[in-house]
Amino acid sequence: MPELRPVDPYHGVFMHTAVAGGGSQLSRHPEAPATLPDPDTGRALQIATVEVSGAICPACARKTQGGFISFVSDLRLVFACPNCRSMLWLDGA
């Protein structure tokens, strides 16, 4: 039977790393894809910017070194949290 690989919650855009004291953070993957699939339609959205900075996760409410992704021609943002190991789609302005 083939071995199941864990699904990458960050779609190859970020790498999850442990830090001293038991915490975790994200860093940009050096071979990150140029697009990310829309969770509703599956359509490839072209990534405009990728940034890692301190923020409070909207899902787990913990302060973390998370990742932000913005897109070309799409006002939504994605927040990637190393604590809940998820990517949250946020409505843009």
Side-chain angles (χ1 to χ4, degrees):
M1 177 180 259
E3 183 178 324
L4 295 176
R5 292 183 179 164
V7 176
D8 176 8
Y10 309 117
H11 296 274
V13 178
F14 298 105
M15 297 185 306
H16 182 270
T17 55
V19 294
S24 59
Q25 67 181 21
L26 297 180
S27 58
R28 185 175 182 169
H29 196 289
E31 298 174 8
T35 63
L36 199 62
D38 183 301
D40 296 326
T41 66
R43 180 175 64 100
L45 299 173
Q46 185 178 356
I47 295 173
T49 62
V50 177
E51 180 182 330
V52 175
S53 64
I56 297 174
C57 175
C60 69
R62 292 176 63 186
K63 187 174 181 180
T64 187
Q65 215 36 36
F68 291 92
I69 304 170
S70 68
F71 301 96
V72 174
S73 301
D74 192 301
L75 295 178
R76 293 175 293 175
L77 288 173
V78 170
F79 178 74
C81 179
N83 296 318
C84 27
R85 293 201 182 200
S86 64
M87 289 184 34
L88 306 158
W89 288 77
L90 309 169
D91 290 333

Coordinates of all heavy atoms in Angstrom, one line a residue:
M1 N 0.8 -1.2 0.0 CA 0.0 0.0 0.0 C 0.9 1.2 0.0 O 1.8 1.3 0.8 CB -0.9 0.0 1.2 CG -1.8 1.2 1.4 SD -2.8 1.1 2.8 CE -4.3 0.6 2.1
P2 N 0.6 2.2 -0.9 CA 1.4 3.4 -0.9 C 1.3 4.3 0.4 O 0.2 4.3 1.0 CB 0.9 4.2 -2.1 CG -0.3 3.6 -2.5 CD -0.5 2.3 -1.8
E3 N 2.4 4.9 0.8 CA 2.4 5.7 2.0 C 1.8 7.0 1.7 O 2.1 7.7 0.7 CB 3.9 5.9 2.5 CG 4.0 6.6 3.7 CD 5.4 6.8 4.2 OE1 6.2 5.8 4.0 OE2 5.8 7.8 4.7
L4 N 0.9 7.5 2.6 CA 0.3 8.8 2.4 C 1.2 9.9 2.9 O 1.7 9.8 4.1 CB -1.0 8.9 3.1 CG -2.1 8.0 2.6 CD1 -3.3 8.1 3.5 CD2 -2.5 8.3 1.2
R5 N 1.5 10.9 2.1 CA 2.3 12.0 2.6 C 1.4 13.1 3.2 O 0.3 13.3 2.8 CB 3.0 12.7 1.4 CG 4.0 11.8 0.8 CD 4.7 12.6 -0.3 NE 5.8 11.8 -0.9 CZ 6.3 12.1 -2.0 NH1 6.0 13.1 -2.7 NH2 7.3 11.3 -2.5
P6 N 1.9 13.8 4.3 CA 1.1 14.8 4.8 C 0.9 16.0 3.8 O 1.8 16.3 3.1 CB 1.9 15.3 6.1 CG 3.2 14.7 5.9 CD 3.1 13.6 4.9
V7 N -0.3 16.6 3.8 CA -0.5 17.7 2.9 C 0.2 18.9 3.4 O 0.1 19.2 4.6 CB -2.1 17.9 2.8 CG1 -2.4 19.1 1.9 CG2 -2.7 16.6 2.3
D8 N 0.8 19.7 2.5 CA 1.5 20.9 2.9 C 0.4 22.0 3.1 O -0.2 22.4 2.1 CB 2.5 21.3 1.8 CG 3.2 22.6 2.1 OD1 3.0 23.2 3.2 OD2 3.9 23.1 1.2
P9 N 0.2 22.5 4.3 CA -0.9 23.5 4.5 C -0.5 24.8 3.8 O -1.4 25.7 3.7 CB -1.0 23.6 6.0 CG 0.3 23.2 6.5 CD 0.8 22.1 5.5
Y10 N 0.7 25.0 3.5 CA 1.2 26.3 2.9 C 1.4 26.3 1.4 O 1.9 27.2 0.8 CB 2.5 26.7 3.6 CG 2.3 26.7 5.1 CD1 3.1 25.9 5.9 CD2 1.4 27.5 5.8 CE1 3.0 25.8 7.3 CE2 1.3 27.5 7.2 CZ 2.1 26.6 7.9 OH 1.9 26.6 9.3
H11 N 1.0 25.2 0.8 CA 1.1 25.0 -0.7 C 2.5 25.4 -1.3 O 2.6 25.9 -2.4 CB 0.0 25.9 -1.4 CG -1.4 25.5 -1.0 ND1 -2.0 24.5 -1.7 CD2 -2.2 25.9 -0.1 CE1 -3.2 24.3 -1.2 NE2 -3.4 25.2 -0.2
G12 N 3.5 25.1 -0.5 CA 4.9 25.3 -1.0 C 5.3 26.8 -0.9 O 6.4 27.1 -1.3
V13 N 4.5 27.7 -0.4 CA 4.9 29.1 -0.3 C 5.8 29.4 0.9 O 6.7 30.2 0.8 CB 3.7 30.0 -0.3 CG1 4.1 31.5 -0.1 CG2 2.8 29.8 -1.5
F14 N 5.5 28.7 2.0 CA 6.3 28.9 3.3 C 6.9 27.6 3.8 O 6.3 26.5 3.4 CB 5.4 29.5 4.4 CG 4.8 30.8 4.0 CD1 3.5 30.9 3.7 CD2 5.6 32.0 4.1 CE1 2.9 32.2 3.4 CE2 5.0 33.2 3.8 CZ 3.7 33.3 3.5
M15 N 7.9 27.7 4.6 CA 8.5 26.6 5.3 C 8.2 26.8 6.8 O 8.4 27.9 7.3 CB 10.0 26.4 5.0 CG 10.3 26.2 3.6 SD 12.1 25.9 3.3 CE 12.8 27.3 4.0
H16 N 7.9 25.8 7.5 CA 7.6 25.8 8.9 C 8.9 25.4 9.6 O 9.5 24.4 9.3 CB 6.5 24.9 9.3 CG 6.1 24.9 10.7 ND1 6.6 24.0 11.6 CD2 5.2 25.6 11.4 CE1 6.1 24.3 12.8 NE2 5.2 25.2 12.7
T17 N 9.3 26.2 10.6 CA 10.5 25.9 11.4 C 10.3 26.1 12.9 O 9.5 27.0 13.3 CB 11.7 26.7 11.0 OG1 11.4 28.1 11.1 CG2 12.2 26.4 9.5
A18 N 10.9 25.2 13.7 CA 10.8 25.4 15.1 C 11.9 26.4 15.6 O 12.9 26.5 15.0 CB 11.1 24.0 15.8
V19 N 11.5 27.1 16.6 CA 12.5 28.1 17.2 C 12.7 27.8 18.7 O 11.9 27.0 19.3 CB 12.0 29.5 17.0 CG1 12.0 29.9 15.6 CG2 10.6 29.8 17.6
A20 N 13.7 28.3 19.3 CA 14.0 28.1 20.7 C 12.8 28.4 21.5 O 12.1 29.4 21.3 CB 15.2 29.0 21.1
G21 N 12.7 27.7 22.6 CA 11.6 27.9 23.5 C 10.3 27.2 23.1 O 9.2 27.4 23.7
G22 N 10.3 26.4 22.1 CA 9.1 25.6 21.7 C 8.2 26.3 20.8 O 7.2 25.7 20.4
G23 N 8.6 27.5 20.3 CA 7.7 28.2 19.3 C 8.0 27.7 17.9 O 8.8 26.8 17.6
S24 N 7.3 28.4 17.0 CA 7.5 28.1 15.6 C 7.3 29.3 14.8 O 6.7 30.3 15.2 CB 6.6 27.0 15.1 OG 5.2 27.4 15.3
Q25 N 7.9 29.3 13.6 CA 7.7 30.5 12.7 C 7.7 30.0 11.2 O 8.1 28.8 11.0 CB 8.8 31.5 12.9 CG 10.2 31.0 12.5 CD 11.2 32.1 12.8 OE1 11.0 33.0 13.6 NE2 12.4 32.0 12.1
L26 N 7.4 30.9 10.3 CA 7.5 30.6 8.9 C 8.6 31.4 8.3 O 8.9 32.4 8.7 CB 6.1 31.0 8.3 CG 4.9 30.2 8.7 CD1 3.7 30.7 8.0 CD2 5.0 28.7 8.6
S27 N 9.1 30.8 7.2 CA 10.0 31.6 6.3 C 9.5 31.3 4.9 O 8.9 30.3 4.6 CB 11.4 31.1 6.5 OG 11.6 29.8 6.3
R28 N 9.9 32.2 4.0 CA 9.5 32.0 2.6 C 10.3 30.9 2.0 O 11.5 30.8 2.2 CB 9.7 33.3 1.8 CG 9.2 33.2 0.4 CD 9.4 34.5 -0.3 NE 8.8 34.4 -1.6 CZ 8.6 35.4 -2.4 NH1 8.9 36.6 -2.1 NH2 8.1 35.2 -3.6
H29 N 9.6 30.0 1.3 CA 10.2 28.9 0.6 C 11.0 29.4 -0.6 O 10.5 30.2 -1.3 CB 9.2 27.9 0.1 CG 9.8 26.5 -0.2 ND1 10.5 26.3 -1.3 CD2 9.7 25.3 0.4 CE1 10.9 25.1 -1.4 NE2 10.4 24.5 -0.3
P30 N 12.3 29.0 -0.7 CA 13.1 29.5 -1.8 C 12.6 29.2 -3.2 O 12.9 29.8 -4.2 CB 14.5 29.0 -1.6 CG 14.3 27.8 -0.7 CD 13.0 28.1 0.1
E31 N 11.8 28.1 -3.3 CA 11.3 27.7 -4.6 C 9.7 27.7 -4.6 O 9.0 26.9 -5.1 CB 11.7 26.2 -4.9 CG 13.2 26.1 -5.1 CD 13.7 24.7 -5.2 OE1 12.9 23.8 -5.4 OE2 14.9 24.5 -5.2
A32 N 9.2 28.8 -4.0 CA 7.8 29.0 -3.9 C 7.1 29.1 -5.3 O 7.7 29.6 -6.2 CB 7.5 30.3 -3.1
P33 N 5.9 28.6 -5.4 CA 5.2 28.7 -6.6 C 4.8 30.2 -6.9 O 4.7 31.0 -6.0 CB 3.9 27.8 -6.4 CG 3.7 27.9 -4.9 CD 5.1 28.0 -4.3
A34 N 4.4 30.4 -8.2 CA 4.0 31.8 -8.6 C 2.5 32.0 -8.5 O 2.0 33.1 -8.6 CB 4.4 32.0 -10.1
T35 N 1.8 30.9 -8.2 CA 0.3 30.9 -8.1 C -0.1 30.1 -6.9 O 0.6 29.3 -6.4 CB -0.4 30.4 -9.3 OG1 -0.1 29.0 -9.5 CG2 0.0 31.2 -10.6
L36 N -1.4 30.4 -6.5 CA -2.0 29.7 -5.4 C -3.4 29.4 -5.8 O -4.1 30.3 -6.4 CB -2.0 30.5 -4.1 CG -2.1 29.9 -2.8 CD1 -1.1 28.8 -2.5 CD2 -2.2 30.9 -1.7
P37 N -4.0 28.2 -5.6 CA -5.3 27.9 -6.0 C -6.4 28.6 -5.1 O -6.2 28.6 -3.9 CB -5.4 26.4 -5.9 CG -4.4 26.0 -4.9 CD -3.3 27.0 -5.0
D38 N -7.4 29.2 -5.8 CA -8.5 29.8 -5.1 C -9.2 28.6 -4.3 O -9.5 27.6 -4.9 CB -9.4 30.5 -6.1 CG -10.6 31.1 -5.4 OD1 -11.4 30.5 -4.7 OD2 -10.7 32.4 -5.6
P39 N -9.5 28.8 -3.0 CA -10.1 27.6 -2.3 C -11.6 27.4 -2.7 O -12.0 26.2 -2.5 CB -10.1 28.1 -0.8 CG -10.0 29.6 -0.9 CD -9.3 29.9 -2.2
D40 N -12.2 28.3 -3.4 CA -13.6 28.1 -3.8 C -13.7 27.6 -5.2 O -14.5 26.7 -5.5 CB -14.4 29.4 -3.7 CG -14.5 29.9 -2.3 OD1 -14.6 29.1 -1.4 OD2 -14.5 31.1 -2.1
T41 N -12.8 28.1 -6.1 CA -13.0 27.7 -7.5 C -11.8 26.9 -8.1 O -12.0 26.2 -9.1 CB -13.0 29.0 -8.4 OG1 -11.7 29.7 -8.3 CG2 -14.1 30.0 -8.0
G42 N -10.7 26.9 -7.3 CA -9.5 26.1 -7.8 C -8.7 26.9 -8.8 O -7.7 26.4 -9.3
R43 N -9.2 28.0 -9.2 CA -8.5 28.9 -10.2 C -7.2 29.3 -9.7 O -7.1 29.7 -8.5 CB -9.4 30.1 -10.6 CG -8.8 31.0 -11.6 CD -9.8 32.1 -12.0 NE -10.1 33.0 -10.8 CZ -9.6 34.2 -10.6 NH1 -8.7 34.6 -11.4 NH2 -9.9 34.9 -9.6
A44 N -6.1 29.3 -10.5 CA -4.8 29.7 -10.1 C -4.7 31.2 -10.0 O -5.0 31.9 -10.9 CB -3.7 29.2 -11.1
L45 N -4.4 31.7 -8.8 CA -4.3 33.2 -8.6 C -2.8 33.5 -8.5 O -2.0 32.9 -7.8 CB -4.9 33.6 -7.2 CG -6.4 33.3 -7.1 CD1 -6.9 33.6 -5.7 CD2 -7.2 34.1 -8.1
Q46 N -2.4 34.5 -9.3 CA -1.0 34.9 -9.4 C -0.6 35.7 -8.1 O -1.3 36.6 -7.7 CB -0.8 35.8 -10.6 CG 0.7 36.2 -10.8 CD 0.9 37.0 -12.0 OE1 0.0 37.3 -12.8 NE2 2.2 37.5 -12.2
I47 N 0.4 35.2 -7.5 CA 0.9 35.8 -6.2 C 1.6 37.1 -6.6 O 2.5 37.2 -7.4 CB 1.9 34.8 -5.5 CG1 1.1 33.6 -5.0 CG2 2.5 35.5 -4.3 CD1 1.9 32.5 -4.4
A48 N 1.3 38.2 -5.8 CA 1.9 39.5 -6.0 C 3.1 39.7 -5.0 O 4.2 40.0 -5.3 CB 0.9 40.6 -5.9
T49 N 2.8 39.4 -3.7 CA 3.8 39.6 -2.7 C 3.7 38.5 -1.6 O 2.6 38.0 -1.4 CB 3.6 41.0 -1.9 OG1 2.4 41.0 -1.3 CG2 3.8 42.1 -2.9
V50 N 4.8 38.2 -1.0 CA 4.9 37.2 0.1 C 5.7 37.9 1.2 O 6.8 38.4 0.9 CB 5.5 35.9 -0.3 CG1 5.7 35.0 0.9 CG2 4.7 35.2 -1.4
E51 N 5.2 38.0 2.4 CA 5.9 38.6 3.5 C 5.8 37.8 4.8 O 4.7 37.2 5.0 CB 5.3 40.0 3.7 CG 5.9 40.8 4.8 CD 5.3 42.2 5.0 OE1 4.8 42.7 4.0 OE2 5.3 42.6 6.1
V52 N 6.8 37.8 5.5 CA 6.7 37.1 6.9 C 7.0 38.2 7.9 O 7.9 39.0 7.8 CB 7.8 36.1 7.0 CG1 7.8 35.5 8.4 CG2 7.6 34.9 6.0
S53 N 6.0 38.4 8.8 CA 6.1 39.4 9.9 C 5.3 39.0 11.1 O 4.5 38.1 11.0 CB 5.7 40.7 9.3 OG 4.3 40.7 9.0
G54 N 5.5 39.7 12.2 CA 4.7 39.5 13.4 C 3.3 39.9 13.2 O 3.0 40.9 12.6
A55 N 2.4 39.1 13.7 CA 1.0 39.4 13.7 C 0.2 38.5 14.7 O 0.8 37.6 15.2 CB 0.4 39.1 12.2
I56 N -1.1 38.8 14.8 CA -1.9 38.0 15.7 C -2.8 37.2 14.7 O -3.5 37.8 13.9 CB -2.8 38.8 16.6 CG1 -1.8 39.5 17.6 CG2 -3.8 37.9 17.4 CD1 -2.5 40.5 18.6
C57 N -2.8 35.9 14.9 CA -3.6 35.0 14.0 C -5.1 35.2 14.2 O -5.5 35.1 15.4 CB -3.2 33.6 14.2 SG -4.2 32.4 13.3
P58 N -5.9 35.4 13.2 CA -7.3 35.6 13.4 C -8.0 34.3 13.8 O -9.1 34.4 14.4 CB -7.8 36.0 12.0 CG -6.6 36.2 11.1 CD -5.4 35.7 11.8
A59 N -7.4 33.2 13.6 CA -8.0 31.9 14.0 C -7.7 31.5 15.4 O -8.6 31.2 16.2 CB -7.6 30.8 13.0
C60 N -6.4 31.5 15.8 CA -6.0 31.0 17.1 C -5.7 32.1 18.1 O -5.5 31.9 19.3 CB -4.8 30.1 17.0 SG -3.2 30.8 16.6
A61 N -5.7 33.4 17.6 CA -5.5 34.6 18.5 C -4.2 34.6 19.2 O -4.0 35.3 20.2 CB -6.6 34.8 19.5
R62 N -3.2 33.9 18.6 CA -1.8 33.9 19.2 C -0.9 34.8 18.4 O -1.0 34.9 17.2 CB -1.2 32.5 19.2 CG -2.0 31.6 20.2 CD -1.5 30.2 20.1 NE -0.1 30.1 20.6 CZ 0.6 29.0 20.5 NH1 0.0 27.9 20.0 NH2 1.8 28.9 20.9
K63 N 0.0 35.6 19.1 CA 1.0 36.4 18.4 C 2.0 35.5 17.8 O 2.5 34.6 18.5 CB 1.6 37.4 19.4 CG 2.5 38.4 18.7 CD 3.0 39.4 19.7 CE 3.9 40.4 18.9 NZ 4.4 41.4 19.7
T64 N 2.3 35.7 16.6 CA 3.2 34.8 15.9 C 4.0 35.4 14.8 O 3.7 36.6 14.4 CB 2.4 33.6 15.3 OG1 3.3 32.6 14.8 CG2 1.4 34.0 14.2
Q65 N 5.0 34.8 14.2 CA 5.7 35.2 13.1 C 5.1 34.5 11.9 O 5.5 33.4 11.5 CB 7.2 34.8 13.2 CG 8.3 35.6 12.7 CD 8.3 37.1 12.8 OE1 7.7 37.7 13.7 NE2 8.8 37.7 11.8
G66 N 4.0 35.1 11.4 CA 3.2 34.4 10.3 C 3.5 35.0 8.9 O 4.4 35.9 8.8
G67 N 2.9 34.5 7.9 CA 3.1 34.9 6.6 C 1.9 35.5 5.9 O 0.7 35.1 6.2
F68 N 2.1 36.5 5.1 CA 1.0 37.1 4.3 C 1.3 37.0 2.8 O 2.4 37.1 2.4 CB 1.0 38.6 4.6 CG 0.6 39.0 6.0 CD1 1.5 39.1 7.0 CD2 -0.8 39.1 6.3 CE1 1.1 39.4 8.3 CE2 -1.2 39.4 7.6 CZ -0.2 39.6 8.6
I69 N 0.2 36.7 2.1 CA 0.3 36.6 0.6 C -0.8 37.5 0.0 O -1.9 37.5 0.5 CB 0.0 35.1 0.2 CG1 1.0 34.2 0.8 CG2 0.1 35.0 -1.3 CD1 0.6 32.7 0.6
S70 N -0.4 38.3 -0.9 CA -1.3 39.1 -1.7 C -1.3 38.7 -3.1 O -0.4 38.0 -3.6 CB -1.0 40.6 -1.6 OG 0.2 40.9 -2.3
F71 N -2.3 39.0 -3.9 CA -2.5 38.5 -5.3 C -2.7 39.7 -6.3 O -3.1 40.8 -5.9 CB -3.7 37.6 -5.3 CG -3.6 36.5 -4.4 CD1 -4.2 36.5 -3.1 CD2 -2.9 35.3 -4.8 CE1 -4.1 35.4 -2.3 CE2 -2.8 34.2 -3.9 CZ -3.4 34.3 -2.6
V72 N -2.3 39.4 -7.5 CA -2.6 40.3 -8.6 C -4.1 40.2 -9.0 O -4.6 39.1 -9.1 CB -1.7 39.9 -9.8 CG1 -2.0 40.7 -11.1 CG2 -0.2 39.9 -9.5
S73 N -4.7 41.3 -9.1 CA -6.1 41.4 -9.5 C -7.1 40.7 -8.6 O -8.1 40.1 -9.0 CB -6.3 40.9 -10.9 OG -5.5 41.6 -11.8
D74 N -6.7 40.6 -7.3 CA -7.6 39.9 -6.3 C -7.4 40.6 -5.0 O -6.2 40.7 -4.5 CB -7.3 38.4 -6.2 CG -8.4 37.7 -5.4 OD1 -8.6 38.0 -4.2 OD2 -9.0 36.8 -5.9
L75 N -8.4 41.2 -4.3 CA -8.2 42.0 -3.1 C -8.0 41.2 -1.9 O -7.8 41.7 -0.8 CB -9.4 43.0 -3.0 CG -9.5 44.0 -4.1 CD1 -10.7 44.9 -3.8 CD2 -8.2 44.8 -4.2
R76 N -8.2 39.9 -1.9 CA -8.1 39.1 -0.7 C -6.6 38.9 -0.3 O -5.7 39.0 -1.1 CB -8.7 37.7 -0.9 CG -10.2 37.7 -1.1 CD -10.7 36.4 -1.4 NE -10.2 36.0 -2.8 CZ -10.5 34.8 -3.3 NH1 -11.1 33.9 -2.6 NH2 -10.0 34.5 -4.5
L77 N -6.4 38.6 1.0 CA -5.1 38.3 1.5 C -5.2 36.9 2.1 O -6.2 36.5 2.5 CB -4.7 39.3 2.6 CG -4.3 40.7 2.2 CD1 -4.1 41.5 3.5 CD2 -3.0 40.7 1.4
V78 N -4.0 36.3 2.2 CA -3.9 35.0 2.9 C -3.0 35.2 4.1 O -1.9 35.8 3.9 CB -3.4 33.9 2.0 CG1 -3.1 32.6 2.8 CG2 -4.4 33.6 0.9
F79 N -3.4 34.7 5.3 CA -2.5 34.7 6.4 C -2.2 33.3 6.7 O -3.1 32.4 6.9 CB -3.2 35.4 7.6 CG -2.3 35.3 8.9 CD1 -1.2 36.2 8.9 CD2 -2.5 34.4 9.9 CE1 -0.3 36.1 10.0 CE2 -1.7 34.4 11.0 CZ -0.6 35.2 11.1
A80 N -0.9 33.0 6.8 CA -0.4 31.6 7.1 C 0.1 31.6 8.6 O 0.9 32.4 8.9 CB 0.7 31.2 6.2
C81 N -0.5 30.7 9.4 CA -0.1 30.7 10.8 C 0.7 29.4 11.1 O 0.3 28.3 10.8 CB -1.4 30.7 11.6 SG -1.1 30.6 13.4
P82 N 1.9 29.6 11.7 CA 2.7 28.5 12.1 C 2.2 27.7 13.3 O 2.5 26.6 13.5 CB 4.1 29.0 12.4 CG 3.8 30.4 12.8 CD 2.6 30.9 12.0
N83 N 1.3 28.4 14.1 CA 0.8 27.7 15.3 C -0.4 26.8 15.0 O -0.4 25.6 15.4 CB 0.3 28.8 16.3 CG 1.4 29.6 16.8 OD1 2.5 29.1 17.1 ND2 1.2 30.9 16.9
C84 N -1.3 27.3 14.2 CA -2.4 26.4 13.8 C -2.2 25.6 12.5 O -3.0 24.8 12.1 CB -3.8 27.1 13.7 SG -3.9 28.8 13.4
R85 N -1.0 25.9 11.9 CA -0.6 25.3 10.6 C -1.7 25.3 9.6 O -2.1 24.3 9.0 CB -0.1 23.9 10.9 CG 1.1 23.9 11.7 CD 1.9 22.6 11.5 NE 3.1 22.6 12.3 CZ 4.1 21.8 12.1 NH1 4.1 21.0 11.2 NH2 5.1 21.9 12.9
S86 N -2.2 26.6 9.4 CA -3.3 26.7 8.4 C -3.0 28.0 7.6 O -2.3 28.9 8.0 CB -4.6 26.8 9.1 OG -4.7 27.9 10.0
M87 N -3.8 28.2 6.5 CA -3.8 29.4 5.8 C -5.2 29.9 5.8 O -6.2 29.2 5.4 CB -3.3 29.2 4.3 CG -1.8 28.9 4.3 SD -1.0 28.7 2.7 CE -1.8 29.7 1.6
L88 N -5.4 31.2 6.2 CA -6.7 31.8 6.3 C -6.9 32.8 5.2 O -6.0 33.7 5.1 CB -6.8 32.4 7.7 CG -6.6 31.5 8.8 CD1 -6.2 32.3 10.1 CD2 -7.8 30.7 9.1
W89 N -8.0 32.7 4.5 CA -8.3 33.7 3.4 C -9.0 34.9 4.0 O -10.1 34.6 4.7 CB -9.0 33.0 2.3 CG -8.2 32.1 1.5 CD1 -7.8 30.9 1.9 CD2 -7.6 32.3 0.2 NE1 -7.0 30.3 0.9 CE2 -6.9 31.2 -0.1 CE3 -7.7 33.4 -0.7 CZ2 -6.2 31.1 -1.3 CZ3 -7.0 33.3 -1.9 CH2 -6.3 32.2 -2.2
L90 N -8.5 36.1 3.9 CA -9.1 37.3 4.4 C -9.6 38.2 3.3 O -8.9 38.4 2.3 CB -8.1 38.0 5.3 CG -7.4 37.2 6.3 CD1 -6.2 38.0 6.9 CD2 -8.3 36.7 7.4
D91 N -10.8 38.7 3.5 CA -11.4 39.7 2.5 C -10.5 40.9 2.5 O -10.1 41.4 3.6 CB -12.8 40.0 2.8 CG -13.8 38.9 2.6 OD1 -13.4 38.0 1.7 OD2 -14.8 38.8 3.2
G92 N -10.2 41.4 1.3 CA -9.4 42.7 1.2 C -10.3 43.9 1.3 O -11.5 43.8 1.4
A93 N -9.7 45.0 1.2 CA -10.4 46.3 1.3 C -11.0 46.7 -0.1 O -10.6 46.3 -1.1 CB -9.4 47.4 1.7

